[in-house]
Amino acid sequence: TEYTTLLTETRGRVATITLNRPEALNALNSTLVRELIDAALAFDADPGVGAIVLTGSEKAFAAGADIKEMADQSYADMYLGGPFPGWGGFERMRTPLIAAVSGFALGGGCELAMMCDIIIAADTAKFGQPEINLGVLPGFGGSQRLPRAIGKYKAAEMILTGRMMGAEEAERSGLVSRVVPASELLAEAAKTAETIASKSLPAVYAAKDALQAAQEMPLAEGLRFERQAFAAAFATDDQSEGMHAFAEKRAPEFRHR
Ligand code: HXC
């Protein structure tokens, strides 16, 4: 498919989506959001794709929702989904998403990164929720995901003042999985994606489901979920292959079944 605001690529079992609206620092306008959800859901539906890397440019992962497009929207426009319907599908994706963040990840850009499972940051990355400067508040989940990621007090400081956080502070705070030199960002993200894509896909889906449950459920419920999911893994061929390969001192050959 040809997109106007994205580049997509597949290499082996790894797909890459590159946000490509350089004139606006990858601001998320309605076209970009529609295309992003489209591309991501198409990769998600393809069992040949085991992991997805989502990235932007060197200067910006994404500088947030497109402010100029949003400026004249009404309450009803926004409540009905406005220029950005369809996020529910993105948030329910089953394929692991790795955000490779260089430069600005602000507002909706920071929130988009937080919708991913893993965030790898270049040392140049800057995270922030500057919506307060625009007379609004985070609207793509930032007020909920940021405190879960970095705790109430750090999240409140960022959301109420709009201050940005550099890569090192973000790593220290638990907002990013890992910081790497900017020049190595894409290679490191690809390596992580390839590692995940080499595992049993049903096991990866189940592990992502369980991680999701940890974000959403009380502990006792989450532990019950895990107990079922763990037992269910023993219904797959890949469980047998993985365990026998270990005992036989060889690499497993997962067939994603
Ligand atoms: C529209 C944007 C934009 C945005 C940058 N641009 N961010 N356009 N929406 N979010 C445009 C600029 O207008 C400019 O266009 C071009 O991109 C380059 O940006 P500059 O500002 O000239 O670059 P620089 O001086 O380097 O500053 C970078 C920056 C700044 C610090 C990132 O652009 C900035 O503060 N952007 C806004 C960040 C923000 O507030 N994000 C939160 C948005 S609200 P021209 O045409 O002038 O060259 C949000 C809500 C999410 O995300 C929830 C929705 C439901």
Side-chain angles (χ1 to χ4, degrees), residues 69-133:
E69 190 182 62
M70 247 180 336
D72 295 320
Q73 300 278 319
S74 69
Y75 164 81
D77 290 334
M78 293 315 285
Y79 191 56
L80 294 176
F84 318 115
W87 276 118
F90 189 89
E91 290 168 303
R92 283 191 299 276
M93 280 177 54
R94 307 185 69 198
T95 312
L97 282 154
I98 297 145
V101 176
S102 176
F104 296 110
L106 301 179
C110 184
E111 294 168 298
L112 177 59
M114 289 192 288
M115 287 180 207
C116 297
D117 300 287
I118 292 175
I119 303 178
I120 301 183
D123 48 14
T124 59
K126 288 189 194 67
F127 298 88
Q129 297 286 165
E131 288 91 341
I132 202 77
N133 298 329

Side-chain angles (χ1 to χ4, degrees), residues 99-103 119-125 127 167-168 171 176-192:
V101 176
S102 176
I119 303 178
I120 301 183
D123 48 14
T124 59
F127 298 88
E168 211 175 287
E171 183 180 38
V176 308
S177 317
R178 202 144 51 83
V179 178
V180 301
S183 59
E184 293 163 28
L185 178 66
L186 289 179
E188 284 296 323
K191 213 189 292 170
T192 302

Side-chain angles (χ1 to χ4, degrees), residues 21-29 59-60 62-70 78 81 83-84 87 103-111 126 128-134 136-142 164:
R21 249 196 107 203
E23 73 282 6
L25 302 182
N26 293 331
L28 311 168
N29 68 1
K59 177 151 189 214
D66 190 309
I67 300 167
K68 296 163 195 169
E69 190 182 62
M70 247 180 336
M78 293 315 285
F84 318 115
W87 276 118
F104 296 110
L106 301 179
C110 184
E111 294 168 298
K126 288 189 194 67
Q129 297 286 165
E131 288 91 341
I132 202 77
N133 298 329
L134 302 167
V136 293
L137 67 154
F140 278 153
M164 288 188 225

Side-chain angles (χ1 to χ4, degrees), residues 49-60:
V49 171
I52 300 169
V53 174
L54 177 60
T55 193
S57 69
E58 215 175 296
K59 177 151 189 214

